[in-house]
Amino acid sequence: MTARIRPDLDTFPSYVPGRSFPGAHKLASNETTAGPLPSVASAIATAAAGVNRYPDNTNTALRESLAERLRVGVERIAIGCGSVSLCQELVQIAAGPGDEVIFPWRSFEAYPVVTQVAGATPVPVPLTADHAHDLDAMAAAVTDRTRLVFVCNPNNPTGRTLSAAEITSFLDAVPSHVLVALDEAYFEYVRPGTDAGDTIPDGVVLAEGRPNVVVLRTFSKAYGLAGLRVGYAVAAPEIVVALSKVHTPFAVNSVAQSAAIASVAAADELLARTDQVAAERTRMRDALVTAGYEVPESGGNFVWLPLGGKSQAYGDASAEAGVVVRAYGTDGVRITIGDPHENDAFLAFATSTGLELLKS
Ligand SMILES: *Cc1c(COP(=O)(O)O)cnc(C)c1O
């Protein structure tokens, strides 16, 4: 006889990771194309020699280095096994059965999953017609049962970025007893003078004086450590303590902690690489717009093609042409900005077979 498990698991969406196959250009998971810097690789090797010991469960050295870089107190930093774990922990500290978690949709696939795992009720709020957060509708969706609101800036997968002013008026509109998570997984790729406006929206600044606001960032994207799983939250000290209560002990391993510390030390060199991504993002978008595509402005290391019902077929055809991209149901296709030759491979498909497929 099969063991009894939660019957509601059948109704959960499964997390779908980006796929790949040998020889293909993988533009499906918003990863950095370059491997670790020598300084980071050597921190990894040193830490690997000590893996017979448990890691520091309080992540103290990493929290101290982040606190210094971000100019906040160390008691305001929490570390997670990827920021996706912190998304899950935030739901766990705030919501249970009968409580509501609001998030934009379409957005990061983990939001509905972590909400349902906690037994809470997902409240997806559709994006605007131009693929951005509908902040008015999100504020209007707040009820007595709302415990947490996710804001994804820039939004994965559509790329649209909220300005600092937009976020501030949203935070003013949400009751201060409702936790708001500003998920800034792509913060390092945002450039001024775009969607974002003249000043880059920085959650750490926007959260000042607002103890209900938590900022989430990750080492997986611009810092290039996706395989090691480290993310962090900047939050009020009480929230950091609450997160530690639901944290799986030793979830952030010692190799990951050391690599993240070395990456904070090398931040300038690592973040300099985002300039090429931002330039390639502009080149990709311009080329696609010239070819006749609708392409929302993107603040992330990816672009979004809202292709509706053709999305899946388009993604399959691109994979057949040797470029794996990510199709999302009947909403669209997300293409990660890779190295120039990889982006060229996608553009070659997009301006030939891809266009024909859309016309048929
Ligand atoms: C990639 C991503 C994350 C987190 O990634 P981790 O690897 O778990 O740190 C969080 N939010 C969004 C929107 C992302 O795209």
Side-chain angles (χ1 to χ4, degrees):
M1 187 153 161
T2 350
R4 280 191 196 159
I5 54 170
R6 285 168 59 176
D8 62 332
L9 291 181
D10 288 340
T11 70
F12 286 25
S14 298
Y15 187 86
V16 186
R19 16 176 226 131
S20 190
F21 54 86
H25 299 296
K26 190 188 178 202
L27 300 182
S29 297
N30 294 349
E31 297 150 334
T32 291
T33 54
L37 295 175
S39 63
V40 177
S42 119
I44 289 171
T46 306
V51 295
N52 50 310
R53 303 289 179 190
Y54 276 102
D56 170 13
N57 193 43
T58 61
N59 301 286
T60 301
L62 174 55
R63 290 167 63 217
E64 281 170 352
S65 69
L66 282 168
E68 193 182 4
R69 177 165 175 87
L70 300 169
R71 299 173 204 279
V72 300
V74 69
E75 70 287 350
R76 292 190 52 203
I77 311 260
I79 309 294
C81 178
S83 61
V84 70
S85 299
L86 290 160
C87 292
Q88 177 149 12
E89 292 174 4
L90 282 172
V91 178
Q92 287 174 319
I93 65 166
D99 296 330
E100 295 169 356
V101 176
I102 295 174
F103 48 83
W105 198 252
R106 184 162 289 266
S107 188
F108 187 36
E109 278 164 289
Y111 302 149
V113 180
V114 296
T115 301
Q116 286 187 264
V117 168
T121 305
V123 181
V125 176
L127 299 175
T128 62
D130 52 1
H131 319 288
H133 285 56
D134 189 340
L135 290 178
D136 291 339
M138 287 174 68
V142 174
T143 71
D144 288 349
R145 300 315 303 258
T146 306
R147 295 292 178 269
L148 174 63
V149 183
F150 283 106
V151 172
C152 187
N153 197 42
N155 188 47
N156 174 13
T158 65
R160 292 291 312 273
T161 309
L162 298 162
S163 69
E166 287 172 307
I167 296 172
T168 299
S169 34
F170 177 71
L171 296 177
D172 287 342
V174 173
S176 59
H177 58 80
V178 173
L179 201 55
V180 178
L182 300 178
D183 185 342
E184 298 187 335
Y186 301 97
F187 171 74
E188 296 84 0
Y189 296 104
V190 179
R191 293 294 179 271
T194 56
D195 240 3
D198 295 337
T199 36
I200 288 175
D202 179 339
V204 178
V205 174
L206 299 173
E208 268 167 31
R210 299 182 189 267
N212 64 318
V213 179
V214 178
V215 180
L216 299 177
R217 298 215 182 130
T218 178
F219 285 94
S220 295
K221 307 285 162 54
Y223 283 88
L225 296 182
L228 281 177
R229 320 297 310 123
V230 205
Y232 61 95
V234 184
E238 312 81 73
I239 301 294
V240 171
V241 170
L243 289 169
S244 73
K245 303 245 164 108
V246 299
H247 188 71
T248 303
F250 307 112
V252 186
N253 70 72
S254 47
V255 177
Q257 290 186 39
S258 294
I261 293 166
S263 299
V264 174
D268 292 346
E269 197 178 339
L270 287 168
L271 297 186
R273 306 190 304 200
T274 61
D275 287 339
Q276 179 179 353
V277 175
E280 281 291 294
R281 172 177 73 198
T282 304
R283 184 176 76 89
M284 279 273 262
R285 180 166 181 268
D286 289 351
L288 290 164
V289 168
T290 302
Y293 286 87
E294 178 193 356
V295 194
E297 200 172 288
S298 172
N301 63 341
F302 52 88
V303 289
W304 173 249
L305 303 179
L307 301 179
K310 298 251 165 110
S311 303
Q312 216 65 49
Y314 190 94
D316 291 344
S318 179
E320 230 159 273
V323 187
V324 182
V325 296
R326 185 85 155 259
Y328 290 85
T330 54
D331 287 347
V333 176
R334 188 192 69 192
I335 302 103
T336 301
I337 306 298
D339 287 337
H341 74 279
E342 298 177 302
N343 303 333
D344 285 339
F346 175 73
L347 287 175
F349 161 78
T351 54
S352 59
T353 324
L355 270 187
E356 282 155 32
L357 184 149
L358 295 177
K359 283 181 194 138
S360 66

